[in-house]
Amino acid sequence: SAVISQKPSRDICQRGTSLTIQCQVDSQVTMMFWYRQQPGQSLTLIATANQGSEATYESGFVIDKFPISRPNLTFSTLTVSNMSPEDSSIYLCSVVGWRGRDTEAFFGQGTRLTVV
Amino acid sequence: AQSVTQLGSHVSVSEGALVLLRCNYSSSVPPYLFWYVQYPNQGLQLLLKYTTGATLVKGINGFEAEFKKSETSFHLTKPSAHMSDAAEYFCAVSSDFNKFYFGSGTKLNVKP
């Protein structure tokens, strides 16, 4: 199985500032995924991060607002830029890995962001 | 395009009663279907998944789900609810086992 560590686990930020969230995986993976879970809502895919290429963003998400880095096969960062209270959410990192002989999607514990 | 609809944002059952959480999906390709559980202040945990083969899938904690292609459904059931089952449950669909599209979630409340 894949173990995912996210930092920070939570933060309270001032509007207009930016926060970078780190995601570390204990094994090499080709793709890493970033999700947002707004209060009381489900998870929404923000983007797919591939090592060595630009991230692919889902409809409604843009690189200027959510720049992503993927410097190697075990690490990625998501930055939430120029934050507003609407960005208050849980941000999760995900990878697909193996559990035994079965593939499974693994999720980090998430970063709980509050923008004030 | 893929999407998931979960009917009922809140479901309340008595301890020992049947749990039924509904999930319908839309997919232009044969889907992989999943149920995840999220306990308060915790991450997502996989309950079960359907990929190919047997349409009745058994998962952890006594949960099971049946893939019904004709009804585009993947409802989650458990014969007897336990207090520890109180959590939020998410149905998800994927066509490539990479990108996941989640339903809006169902919060399960178990009454003593």
Side-chain angles (χ1 to χ4, degrees):
Chain A
S1 63
V3 177
I4 301 174
S5 301
Q6 272 187 246
K7 291 182 182 179
S9 58
R10 58 179 62 231
D11 207 342
I12 301 174
C13 300
Q14 297 291 322
R15 67 177 68 200
T17 63
S18 298
L19 175 72
T20 295
I21 302 167
Q22 299 179 3
C23 178
Q24 179 77 51
V25 188
D26 68 344
S27 58
Q28 293 183 339
V29 293
T30 305
M31 290 186 280
M32 297 175 76
F33 305 89
W34 288 97
Y35 290 83
R36 179 176 73 181
Q37 186 177 18
Q38 292 177 297
Q41 298 189 32
S42 186
L43 287 81
T44 302
L45 180 64
I46 297 172
T48 303
N50 295 313
Q51 195 269 333
S53 64
E54 288 219 347
T56 304
Y57 289 83
E58 297 297 304
S59 175
F61 297 96
V62 294
I63 188 171
D64 290 347
K65 177 66 175 178
F66 298 102
I68 288 172
S69 78
R70 183 78 201 275
N72 58 53
L73 291 173
T74 62
F75 187 78
S76 177
T77 67
L78 170 76
T79 298
V80 186
S81 303
N82 188 25
M83 288 184 284
S84 66
E86 292 71 35
D87 294 321
S88 297
S89 297
I90 299 174
Y91 292 86
L92 298 103
C93 173
S94 174
V95 302
V96 175
W98 292 93
R99 186 186 294 276
R101 291 185 294 179
D102 226 1
T103 54
E104 182 176 325
F106 298 90
F107 292 84
Q109 293 286 85
T111 296
R112 187 179 295 271
L113 170 62
T114 302
V115 183
V116 297
Chain B
Q2 295 175 299
S3 65
V4 173
T5 301
Q6 289 184 241
L7 291 176
S9 58
H10 291 80
V11 170
S12 186
V13 301
S14 297
E15 191 172 21
L18 171 72
V19 175
L20 171 61
L21 305 182
R22 299 180 185 274
C23 171
N24 287 88
Y25 70 91
S26 172
S27 178
S28 56
V29 298
Y32 300 133
L33 294 160
F34 308 80
W35 276 100
Y36 283 86
V37 60
Q38 186 176 38
Y39 297 100
N41 299 316
Q42 293 190 29
L44 288 169
Q45 180 181 4
L46 179 66
L47 271 180
L48 51 79
K49 64 183 177 186
Y50 168 79
T51 53
T52 59
T55 56
L56 181 62
V57 181
K58 295 185 184 299
I60 61 172
N61 302 338
F63 284 94
E64 60 182 40
E66 186 171 11
F67 170 57
K68 292 187 177 181
K69 185 178 179 180
S70 62
E71 299 178 6
T72 61
S73 69
F74 190 58
H75 302 330
L76 182 70
T77 61
K78 182 174 181 178
S80 177
H82 192 273
M83 296 297 293
S84 61
D85 294 326
E88 189 160 19
Y89 293 79
F90 293 94
C91 183
V93 63
S94 176
S95 63
D96 59 4
F97 229 114
N98 286 312
K99 296 181 182 180
F100 284 70
Y101 298 91
F102 288 83
S104 53
T106 299
K107 289 186 177 177
L108 175 65
N109 178 46
V110 182
K111 299 174 291 187

